[in-house]
Amino acid sequence: MSTPDSRKRWGALFVTLGVTLAAAGLTFWFAWGLPSAGSYNQAVLGIVVHVLFGYIVVMSGLTIYRSDLAVSECWVAAKWCLGGFLFMSSFVVWASVPEIRAGGISLAFANQFIIVGSVGAAAGVLIGLNRGQAAQNARLVEDTRDQRETLRFLLRLIRHDIKNDLVVIGGFADRLEGQYDADPEELALIQERTDSAQSLLETADTIIESETGQLATEAVNLSVILREQVGALETSYPDLTVETDIDDGLRVTANELIDEVFWNVLENAAEHNDISGLTVSVTTERVDGAVETVITDDGSGIPEGVRETVFEPSIQRSGGEADGLGLYLVRKLVETCDGSVTIEDRDPSGTVFRIRLPAA
């Protein structure tokens, strides 16, 4: 990477070169071309032609000045600019060899040398700048790949160490139960917070995988996945009533993390409503080359002001209770499968999630 000062020097160099070419072109034009101009339009056209290519070099210099190109990438632009100038101006020299041998260099030769050389310089700097930016893009892609791998490594390291610590904390809380006059509510709170931290680590890991991993999609049996997640919900919340109407043999195109989508929506319904008397229903329907899963609860619903941003991280529900990352994860994972998820009110009360995934 170049420092800002070195990059600005390169930009200033190209700006100076462009101004020099434009000024030289104008000088020779006024000395040679203007006297022979037959009309005002010819004079204006001559001025524009002599200034235009120098102006291109100036603008390229300003682009470099404002960019974050490395020194090597600036060198690429410089070499192409110089090469283009020498290549094009060599044609003028070659065509004027007899005149040069005769010992005279006319204003016409000088004018042509500058204008044709400016064309080469402008074309060269554009090509060089394009190549330099291509090299910069390749470097940025590599840097992004390295950062992604570092991020994934750090997350795995954190998960491994913190998860082990949480297991130890939870184990000690279990051993303390019934001993040393320990408050059962405090012990239960320790266990609850431990479980919550472990769940948060797993959710964060899944989000990182969805953002940085290459999650390949494949045909999966949605019917089996939904029934597994419904079973897990009934086990975790035995007082909850669950109704299902899931067709057999539903296959969708999704990635290996798709079960997290349905678990988070189902758990969200249980966590943010009074379990007593709560009913959650799960139904499926084939719609326009896709399979739509509708998860409905008859709870208190989501406030209108919150519903618009419910899929963003750390959304606050009424009473200050936070959804955390669960529904954010739902949106991210569904989008990686080229699907969609929407949320709406249920009449007379409750919430409806519609998750649509492409049929396989």
Side-chain angles (χ1 to χ4, degrees):
M1 289 288 292
S2 63
T3 63
D5 288 341
S6 63
R7 187 172 58 252
K8 289 179 179 180
R9 284 194 292 269
W10 275 105
L13 177 63
F14 278 101
V15 169
T16 302
L17 176 62
V19 171
T20 301
L21 291 173
L26 279 177
T27 299
F28 287 114
W29 162 250
F30 279 109
W32 172 80
L34 186 59
S36 61
S39 66
Y40 174 78
N41 289 339
Q42 286 182 331
V44 171
L45 179 61
I47 293 174
V48 170
V49 169
H50 284 72
V51 172
L52 175 62
F53 301 105
Y55 172 78
I56 292 175
V57 177
V58 169
M59 296 308 298
S60 298
L62 292 176
T63 298
I64 293 174
Y65 187 91
R66 298 166 181 166
S67 72
D68 57 353
L69 292 174
V71 171
S72 59
E73 294 152 5
C74 294
W75 264 111
V76 170
K79 286 188 288 188
W80 274 91
C81 181
L82 178 61
F85 179 86
L86 294 177
F87 177 75
M88 294 299 294
S89 59
S90 65
F91 287 105
V92 177
V93 174
W94 178 71
S96 304
V97 167
E99 179 184 345
I100 296 174
R101 285 180 175 176
I105 297 179
S106 64
L107 286 175
F109 168 79
N111 180 72
Q112 291 175 0
F113 182 86
I114 291 297
I115 188 63
V116 175
S118 297
V119 172
V125 73
L126 291 177
I127 295 173
L129 190 58
N130 180 267
R131 287 177 172 265
Q133 290 175 332
Q136 179 194 39
N137 291 338
R139 171 169 51 82
L140 292 175
V141 168
E142 185 63 29
D143 290 344
T144 301
R145 186 181 298 112
D146 291 341
Q147 292 171 358
R148 182 178 63 194
E149 292 303 320
T150 301
L151 184 61
R152 295 176 68 182
F153 170 76
L154 289 175
L155 180 62
R156 290 192 182 103
L157 181 64
I158 291 172
R159 277 199 63 206
H160 177 270
D161 290 348
I162 295 181
K163 194 170 185 178
N164 287 344
D165 292 340
L166 292 174
V167 170
V168 173
I169 293 171
F172 275 111
D174 290 338
R175 290 175 59 185
L176 287 172
E177 189 172 0
Q179 301 181 26
Y180 311 112
D181 297 326
D183 187 339
E185 293 185 0
E186 292 181 353
L187 293 176
L189 180 60
I190 292 174
Q191 190 62 57
E192 178 185 341
R193 295 301 184 186
T194 301
D195 293 341
S196 176
Q198 289 177 331
S199 176
L200 180 60
L201 284 174
E202 292 172 359
T203 300
D205 189 24
T206 304
I207 291 175
I208 293 296
E209 287 295 328
S210 69
E211 290 284 355
T212 64
Q214 300 298 321
L215 296 177
T217 57
E218 59 182 358
V220 299
N221 192 323
L222 180 63
S223 304
V224 172
I225 291 174
L226 288 175
R227 291 188 176 112
E228 288 177 348
Q229 299 309 310
V230 167
L233 182 71
E234 292 174 324
T235 300
S236 300
Y237 303 92
D239 296 332
L240 182 68
T241 300
V242 182
E243 299 175 350
T244 62
D245 183 10
I246 302 172
D247 296 335
D248 293 326
L250 295 174
R251 299 185 68 80
V252 297
T253 301
N255 58 52
E256 61 190 56
L257 301 176
I258 194 60
D259 56 333
E260 296 282 349
V261 169
F262 299 104
W263 171 250
N264 275 283
V265 174
L266 291 170
E267 186 183 40
N268 181 77
E271 286 289 326
H272 298 293
N273 291 291
D274 184 3
I275 294 295
S276 178
L278 181 69
T279 299
V280 175
S281 66
V282 181
T283 62
T284 58
E285 182 182 2
R286 300 177 190 271
V287 181
D288 299 331
V291 177
E292 184 174 81
T293 302
V294 181
I295 300 177
T296 306
D297 69 69
D298 57 359
S300 59
I302 299 177
E304 184 177 354
V306 174
R307 193 184 316 125
E308 299 176 356
T309 53
V310 73
F311 293 112
E312 299 300 322
S314 299
I315 297 300
Q316 296 293 322
R317 296 288 297 273
S318 59
E321 188 178 1
D323 280 340
L325 298 174
L327 295 182
Y328 170 72
L329 175 63
V330 168
R331 178 176 64 85
K332 297 300 294 185
L333 290 179
V334 170
E335 289 177 352
T336 62
C337 300
D338 294 327
S340 63
V341 55
T342 59
I343 187 171
E344 58 192 60
D345 285 334
R346 175 186 178 276
D347 188 26
S349 68
T351 306
V352 179
F353 281 87
R354 298 184 183 274
I355 302 170
R356 184 172 295 193
L357 296 169

